[in-house]
Amino acid sequence: MQPLSGRPGRKKGKSGLFGGLRGAFASGRDSSGDSSGIRLRLSDAWQGRSNSRAGRAEARFNAVTAAPRRAWRAGTALFLIGVAGYGLAVGGYFERSMAFMANETTGAIARAGFRIDKLTIEGQERTSDQDIAGALGVGNGAPALTYDTGAAQLRLEQLPWVKRAQVMRLLPSRLHVVIEERAPYAVWQHNGSLYLVDEDGLGIAPLSSPRPDLPFIVGDGAPKAVKPLFATLTSWPEFARRVKASVRVAERRWNLQLDNGIEIRLPENNIENALAKLSELDREHKVLSNSIASVDLRIPGRVTVRLTDDAAARRSSAPAGAPAERDT
């Protein structure tokens, strides 16, 4: 049978041209179900331009909105880390942890055989073993690798006789000490007490009595100034061997007490010139005889000799008379 329209083979609905168009636009995609339909597709060039513009706009938007979020998250993380660190520090966790690690490390080193059980000393003459061991502060079995040799050296150099010290670790178990001791240079009398001093003027130890083998010095500042004096006296051995005591006066100059009781008053400067003049006078006039009490060389170009009381009395009883003190 034919339809009333008289047009065989045609059906109403979506199978025709307009039906295919409506189906394609309604579905939002290409129509592909009918051989008579039209397939719709956007141009590739137009589609790319549209996507690139949209992508750039979206990227700019994401960058603007993401920066505050990242900053907020970073600030929050730092705040939480700071709060946690403060809590651990206040609670003493860090100190306890470090102390625990140090103790464990020290114990492990000692158990491995690196412990001090031998002590050798070089250069020791007057310093006792007990003083050295006490200054080292090391007991049997102390860890060798963690022992502070620098601090031990400083403690050793505080001992009276020790001038310089060196402390060395000889692994695995020995501690070697090299000591340079002070050399006694003079005996210093100060405020009624006696002290042994070295050539640098540093006190070594107190003494109960003088030592005949060492020079005797007296007065404030004498230990620091005695070395230049003795260096000068070596050029005048006839005086140096007769000096019984050297007295520092006002921390500026020296008086020399000779073995026969004569006092030589040296100037503050130019001691060499004064001693040369004294040597000349002694050769010509015997001014260092027993009748002389003192020879004053303090004024350049002038020598004042004072007689002893007995010599002055004898001279005063003489017919012509004689002064007890005269200039030369």
Side-chain angles (χ1 to χ4, degrees):
M1 294 181 61
Q2 295 181 355
L4 293 177
S5 62
R7 296 179 182 179
R10 301 288 299 272
K11 294 184 181 179
K12 296 180 179 180
K14 299 179 180 182
S15 61
L17 173 61
F18 295 102
L21 289 173
R22 286 193 301 269
F25 283 109
S27 63
R29 57 180 181 273
D30 297 339
S31 61
S32 58
D34 192 288
S35 60
S36 63
I38 297 176
R39 185 187 182 103
L40 297 179
R41 182 171 61 85
L42 296 175
S43 170
D44 291 340
W46 185 88
Q47 187 177 10
R49 287 195 300 272
S50 177
N51 289 341
S52 63
R53 291 171 184 169
R56 286 195 296 271
E58 183 179 359
R60 287 194 297 269
F61 176 78
N62 290 337
V64 171
T65 58
R69 291 196 300 271
R70 287 196 298 268
W72 185 86
R73 287 195 293 266
T76 303
L78 291 176
F79 174 75
L80 293 176
I81 292 173
V83 170
Y86 177 77
L88 293 175
V90 171
Y93 175 79
F94 292 137
E95 291 79 0
R96 292 194 299 270
S97 298
M98 294 302 295
F100 175 78
M101 292 175 62
N103 292 334
E104 289 298 317
T105 302
T106 301
I109 292 173
R111 289 190 295 271
F114 291 92
R115 62 180 68 192
I116 299 174
D117 56 14
K118 297 182 181 69
L119 175 62
T120 55
I121 305 172
E122 179 181 345
Q124 173 195 18
E125 292 184 8
R126 300 176 179 88
T127 309
S128 66
D129 294 339
Q130 292 77 11
D131 289 342
I132 294 176
L136 292 173
V138 58
N140 189 24
L145 293 179
T146 58
Y147 182 75
D148 192 343
T149 57
Q153 174 181 328
L154 293 178
R155 292 193 299 270
L156 283 172
E157 291 176 352
Q158 297 300 315
L159 296 177
W161 284 98
V162 178
K163 185 176 184 179
R164 279 183 287 268
Q166 184 178 8
V167 182
M168 296 172 286
R169 287 189 299 260
L170 301 180
L171 298 178
S173 60
R174 195 205 304 183
L175 202 63
H176 184 66
V177 178
V178 180
I179 290 177
E180 179 185 353
E181 292 186 332
R182 304 182 189 278
Y185 192 69
V187 176
W188 178 39
Q189 178 178 301
H190 182 64
N191 293 333
S193 300
L194 300 179
Y195 302 92
L196 199 62
V197 298
D198 65 2
E199 63 178 0
D200 296 324
L202 298 177
I204 299 176
L207 291 176
S208 57
S209 61
R211 286 180 47 171
D213 59 321
L214 294 175
F216 190 77
I217 60 178
V218 183
D220 293 338
K224 294 291 185 181
V226 70
K227 188 175 181 179
L229 172 66
F230 289 170
T232 302
L233 287 176
T234 56
S235 300
W236 309 97
E238 65 272 24
F239 299 141
R241 62 172 175 262
R242 297 184 60 181
V243 174
K244 184 178 180 182
S246 303
V247 182
R248 189 69 171 167
V249 180
E251 298 190 39
R252 294 187 301 105
R253 65 175 193 84
W254 292 95
N255 288 344
L256 303 181
Q257 299 285 345
L258 300 186
D259 51 3
N260 60 355
I262 296 178
E263 180 183 67
I264 301 175
R265 300 175 182 178
L266 296 176
E268 183 176 353
N269 301 307
N270 298 322
I271 297 178
E272 298 87 351
N273 295 337
L275 291 176
K277 182 63 176 177
L278 180 62
S279 178
E280 178 184 353
L281 290 175
D282 189 48
R283 286 195 306 269
E284 295 178 359
H285 303 286
K286 303 298 180 181
V287 295
L288 298 182
S289 65
N290 291 329
S291 61
I292 301 297
S294 66
V295 179
D296 193 343
L297 304 170
R298 291 176 294 176
I299 301 176
R302 179 180 177 181
V303 179
T304 302
V305 177
R306 186 173 66 85
L307 300 175
T308 63
D309 293 339
D310 293 341
R314 288 194 300 270
R315 294 180 70 90
S316 62
S317 61
E325 187 174 287
R326 62 187 177 91
D327 295 340
T328 302

